[in-house]
Amino acid sequence: SLHHVFAAQHIDEVAVLDARLLGPGAEQGLNLVARIPLSGGPTTSVGITPDMTRAYVNQRFNAAVSVIDTATFQEIDTDPDSPGVNPIKLPDGAHPYLITVDPEGHFLYVSDDLRGAIYAINIDPASPDYHAVRTIPVDPAPTGVSGMDISADGQRLYAAAPGQGIFYTPPGTPELGNIVVINTDETSEDFLKPIGVIPNVGREPHGITATNDPRLITFTNRAQDSQGFGVIRANESATSWSVAYLN
């Protein structure tokens, strides 16, 4: 519903909070509505469908994504023919990290923070490919993919691919990271294909947030204060980009 917040707990569950009760008493958990146990975890990100009927939650160490019914606060079984409650399975070895949902509610995107991949999941219940998974290769992404967001018109997915970060990075990792741009225009022959790289945007680009203007995207860099907050400006066709930093 409009007043419920679904929060990843970094364990095998999701907390549901009542956003109307965020005043006095919230710090004591008085706004906690439910704890939803999941078939695996830990959880680090939640994506809500535009119609607010489903919440999608990553299972970071289980190569899977859970689906929650936001009315009943229960995990949905995505494979009734198999025993138990089954999440959406990702490719073997996947390490799902952060989630974003397209404005039309057709696709969900999940970043992998160990390898250069984004998983595109069909979340349109009317589609014959409902809950089918496709892998988008992301290159360069030497330490995986972190934050993502979709432009306001739904045409482009911007994904952060860090370089040397504040935590461990493999020897030989390039110092500077990049932002990879993926075509999410469902009418395009290049749908779900990377179409550009915005290079050298600081050591660890991490969070990406779209604005109401589809040509303006913001991002943060958590390992380099001099480039801590950046603004991406796309041209009219969103095929070339410039970056400015606010210090």
Side-chain angles (χ1 to χ4, degrees):
S1 75
L2 290 173
H3 58 265
H4 285 138
V5 176
F6 291 78
Q9 292 288 91
H10 293 268
I11 54 177
D12 298 359
E13 70 174 29
V14 168
V16 184
L17 307 177
D18 190 328
R20 298 171 300 180
L21 303 175
L22 294 181
E27 65 275 9
Q28 281 82 41
L30 299 183
N31 61 335
L32 180 65
V33 175
R35 293 185 183 275
I36 305 172
L38 301 179
S39 53
T43 63
T44 58
S45 186
V46 180
I48 307 292
T49 57
D51 63 5
M52 300 185 184
T53 60
R54 285 157 290 134
Y56 289 82
V57 190
N58 70 319
Q59 295 186 13
R60 195 173 185 191
F61 298 155
N62 200 35
V65 173
S66 291
V67 188
I68 293 172
D69 184 321
T70 58
T72 64
F73 299 157
Q74 292 183 329
E75 184 175 3
I76 297 170
D77 185 5
T78 66
D79 185 6
D81 295 329
S82 298
V85 177
N86 299 279
I88 300 168
K89 284 295 185 182
L90 300 179
D92 290 345
H95 203 250
Y97 183 41
L98 297 177
I99 290 174
T100 191
V101 181
D102 82 57
E104 298 297 322
H106 292 169
F107 283 86
L108 174 100
Y109 299 95
V110 186
S111 65
D112 189 313
D113 66 340
L114 289 186
R115 57 189 182 188
I118 294 171
Y119 309 106
I121 303 175
N122 185 314
I123 58 170
D124 179 2
S127 170
D129 296 322
Y130 185 47
H131 285 167
V133 179
R134 296 169 63 176
T135 300
I136 304 170
V138 179
D139 183 52
T143 60
V145 182
S146 53
M148 306 172 296
D149 207 357
I150 299 175
S151 59
D153 58 5
Q155 305 293 296
R156 298 289 185 265
L157 173 67
Y158 292 79
Q164 295 178 8
I166 58 177
F167 301 113
Y168 171 77
T169 50
T173 299
E175 179 183 6
L176 300 179
N178 310 284
I179 292 175
V180 178
V181 185
I182 294 151
N183 187 331
T184 50
D185 177 1
E186 295 182 51
T187 66
S188 170
E189 62 181 14
D190 292 325
F191 179 54
L192 298 186
K193 294 181 181 179
I195 58 168
V197 176
I198 305 170
N200 303 330
V201 291
R203 290 176 56 193
E204 194 175 9
H206 186 73
I208 296 184
T209 301
T211 70
N212 291 332
D213 183 341
R215 302 294 172 256
L216 291 178
I217 307 294
T218 65
F219 68 95
T220 57
N221 184 331
R222 68 179 184 181
Q224 197 169 359
D225 287 347
S226 63
Q227 295 178 306
F229 185 86
V231 178
I232 299 167
R233 184 179 296 274
N235 66 350
E236 191 61 30
S237 61
T239 53
S240 67
W241 305 269
S242 60
V243 178
Y245 298 96
L246 305 180
N247 297 320

